[in-house]
Amino acid sequence: MSQPHTDLVNEIRLFISEIGGVSVPVDTPGLLYTRDGRPAKFGTKGALDIAATIKGRAVWIDAKIGRDRLKPAQVKFCRAQERAGAIAFAAWSPDDVRDRLMQEGLLDG
């Protein structure tokens, strides 16, 4: 993750905390090497950057910088979460998160 991306993830998580929610950062898929040098994949393909609970609802948020958009695997992940009753979306700022949570009825105007 780049520093601007990490900063945005932290800003969104701080906002969630300020409104009484709880969040954790989610490790995105990557490749590690075991002690004996073998490659090992980790993470869930398509998982978003932040998993949160706000007023009892599961909320998944992917922090985006600039013109970045959700990847196909992330869109698939969002749809699966939404079918299960969660809220899942991309955000370019804490204001985007606030707006979406208001739209979903989790924040008052």
Side-chain angles (χ1 to χ4, degrees):
M1 274 192 285
S2 68
Q3 190 59 44
H5 182 266
T6 300
D7 291 346
L8 179 57
V9 167
N10 290 335
E11 289 171 18
I12 291 170
R13 292 190 64 224
L14 179 60
F15 172 75
I16 290 168
S17 177
E18 289 170 348
I19 63 169
V22 177
S23 69
V24 294
V26 177
D27 288 332
T28 54
L31 185 65
L32 294 175
Y33 290 90
T34 63
R35 291 182 185 178
D36 57 351
R38 290 180 291 150
K41 292 182 181 180
F42 71 95
T44 300
K45 187 173 181 174
L48 306 187
D49 295 318
I50 300 166
T53 303
I54 301 169
K55 293 186 178 179
R57 286 284 302 273
V59 180
W60 290 83
I61 304 165
D62 202 65
K64 295 296 186 185
I65 298 293
R67 296 189 325 197
D68 194 15
R69 298 289 181 260
L70 290 173
K71 313 288 184 283
Q74 291 175 313
V75 170
K76 185 176 178 182
F77 183 88
C78 286
R79 288 182 183 148
Q81 289 297 325
E82 290 166 352
R83 281 191 305 273
I87 300 165
F89 60 97
W92 286 260
S93 70
D95 287 341
D96 289 341
V97 175
R98 184 198 69 234
D99 293 347
R100 180 63 186 266
L101 295 178
M102 288 175 66
Q103 180 183 21
E104 297 287 343
L106 294 177
L107 272 182
D108 297 325

